[in-house]
Amino acid sequence: MIDYIFYLCVDILIWLAKVTGTSYEFINILIFIIGYPLFIIVLIIIIYRQNKKINNLTEKV
């Protein structure tokens, strides 16, 4: 089952490379070296802001 999911993801990356006219490696770099860390940073910022809002609300009570 894991092999199936892995090769499905590889096929999707290859398809994206063909559609965009780039290589598999470039798509891989965009997703895992640039995209994923940016996603994590955005999530950390959202968590920080939400935590700040919660603390402000609990201080008023």
Side-chain angles (χ1 to χ4, degrees), residues 1-2 4-5 7 9-10 14 21 23 28 31 34 37 41-44 46 48 51 54 56-57 59:
M1 181 65 177
I2 291 179
Y4 174 76
I5 293 171
Y7 288 115
C9 292
V10 168
I14 291 171
S23 67
N28 208 3
I31 292 172
I34 298 170
I41 290 169
V42 168
L43 285 180
I44 290 171
I46 290 170
Y48 174 76
N51 195 17
I54 290 170
N56 286 339
L57 286 173
E59 287 176 2

Side-chain angles (χ1 to χ4, degrees), residues 2-21:
I2 291 179
D3 287 342
Y4 174 76
I5 293 171
F6 173 77
Y7 288 115
L8 178 65
C9 292
V10 168
D11 288 340
I12 291 170
L13 288 176
I14 291 171
W15 176 79
L16 280 172
K18 286 180 184 177
V19 168
T20 59

Side-chain angles (χ1 to χ4, degrees), residues 45-59:
I45 291 169
I46 290 170
I47 290 169
Y48 174 76
R49 288 183 178 170
Q50 290 295 319
N51 195 17
K52 237 170 109 172
K53 287 180 183 179
I54 290 170
N55 287 337
N56 286 339
L57 286 173
T58 56
E59 287 176 2

